[in-house]
Amino acid sequence: MQKKKLVVLTGAGISAESGLAVFRGSNGLWGKYRVDDVATIEGWYRNPELVLQFYNERRKELLKSYPHYGHEGLVDLEDVYDVRVITQNVDDLHERAGSSNVLHLHGRLMWVRSEKNENLRFELPADNCEIHVGDIASDGAQLRPDIVWFGEAVPMLDAAIDWVEEADIFVVIGTSLNVYPAAGLLHYVKRGVPVFLIDPNPVKDPYGKVTTYINCVASEGVKQLVELLSKEY
Ligand code: APR
């Protein structure tokens, strides 16, 4: 029998317990760096070395972090469901936890690409994961992070919408739902599909679709989700 499709939208909060900073809120990255300087194409043209340093530092943080049960519980659910993870995160913690289907809406931190040709991309090795001005791709163009900056197109959006439209169960974990088009994915959840939202803080649900709030951190929330699903679905 075909497994029910369980689609998950994750944000920075699912990686908080792995030691990676979230963006908004008291200790968020956007309190320390100006978004315009490090996460826009204008910032890149203004000062590429500053942008490269920002991502070099985040790569170093990522290499010191590990998945936790918030990531691993989603892998356990693959025994029962066809689990598809749509993440706004650029870390690779879902992959390292063992998730089979991960779609990165905002790119991947360990990957870099030619600034001229987005198809010329490769993954940096863990033991040499810094890039600087002057490091070039095979087409001779400057290497840049393979990250979707504010104002840039989100190439994986249509694929993400397809996944959401097919969901039998939808789960939102660790995102403030502040950023579009990611937050807009909730619009595509079919009527009658149960929507779980895991977050220790209150999150405004833009479309009134959430049916169950689990107000705790991701590791505990995923544990509760697994228990709830084992009883009801
Ligand atoms: N477990 C679960 N959720 C948590 C935890 C935790 N331990 N700690 C914090 N959170 C929640 C916060 O309450 C908040 O709702 O995670 C969410 C983090 O929100 P943001 O910092 O806005 O991160 P995110 O929603 O992923 O941002 C979306 O904005 O800057 C861009 O590209 C960037 O992908 C990012 C996008």
Side-chain angles (χ1 to χ4, degrees):
M1 189 182 74
Q2 207 175 20
K3 291 180 180 177
K4 283 193 169 182
K5 289 185 178 64
L6 187 143
V7 179
V8 191
L9 173 65
T10 65
I14 198 170
S15 300
E17 291 163 90
S18 297
L20 299 182
V22 294
F23 291 96
R24 297 163 185 86
S26 51
N27 213 8
L29 279 172
W30 297 147
K32 300 190 183 95
Y33 297 87
R34 289 185 66 250
V35 177
D36 290 349
D37 289 344
V38 296
T40 64
I41 193 70
E42 295 78 15
W44 171 251
Y45 290 139
R46 224 177 10 252
N47 185 344
E49 192 54 39
L50 175 68
V51 175
L52 293 174
Q53 272 311 319
F54 174 69
Y55 289 97
N56 288 342
E57 277 150 34
R58 289 181 64 203
R59 258 182 234 107
K60 272 188 239 156
E61 289 305 306
L62 176 54
L63 293 175
K64 290 185 287 186
S65 72
Y66 298 92
H68 59 78
Y69 189 68
H71 304 98
E72 292 156 356
L74 301 179
V75 183
D76 294 346
L77 286 169
E78 292 189 19
D79 295 342
V80 182
Y81 299 98
D82 173 359
V83 181
R84 316 244 177 123
V85 179
I86 301 166
T87 187
Q88 299 171 86
N89 299 340
V90 294
D91 65 54
D92 58 356
L93 294 173
H94 284 301
E95 288 89 344
R96 283 162 54 194
S99 282
S100 312
N101 307 297
V102 182
L103 183 158
H104 285 269
L105 277 177
H106 296 160
R108 294 173 292 181
L109 187 54
M110 292 308 290
W111 288 69
V112 291
R113 67 171 177 84
S114 153
E115 72 166 331
K116 293 264 179 306
N117 177 351
E118 66 177 0
N119 296 314
L120 272 183
R121 56 168 57 98
F122 63 88
E123 187 169 11
L124 291 171
D127 59 359
N128 181 13
C129 65
E130 291 199 9
I131 56 171
H132 296 278
V133 170
D135 292 341
I136 57 172
S138 54
D139 63 353
Q142 171 65 47
L143 280 174
R144 60 161 272 184
D146 193 19
I147 299 275
V148 177
W149 286 325
F150 283 99
E152 292 190 309
V154 181
M156 298 302 288
L157 180 62
D158 288 346
I161 290 171
D162 289 347
W163 281 11
V164 175
E165 288 181 329
E166 293 168 5
D168 298 306
I169 301 169
F170 193 73
V171 187
V172 180
I173 309 175
T175 173
S176 61
L177 293 175
N178 262 305
V179 171
Y180 287 77
L185 287 172
L186 266 163
H187 168 71
Y188 296 95
V189 175
K190 288 249 179 323
R191 187 186 303 280
V193 168
V195 177
F196 298 84
L197 189 143
I198 300 172
D199 199 302
N201 303 306
V203 176
K204 192 176 167 319
D205 165 13
Y207 301 95
K209 294 253 178 134
V210 176
T211 49
T212 307
Y213 280 92
I214 303 178
N215 289 112
C216 46
V217 294
S219 59
E220 176 52 36
V222 170
K223 212 176 288 169
Q224 291 182 25
L225 174 73
V226 171
E227 280 155 25
L228 279 172
L229 292 176
S230 66
K231 287 194 199 104
E232 287 177 46
Y233 300 91

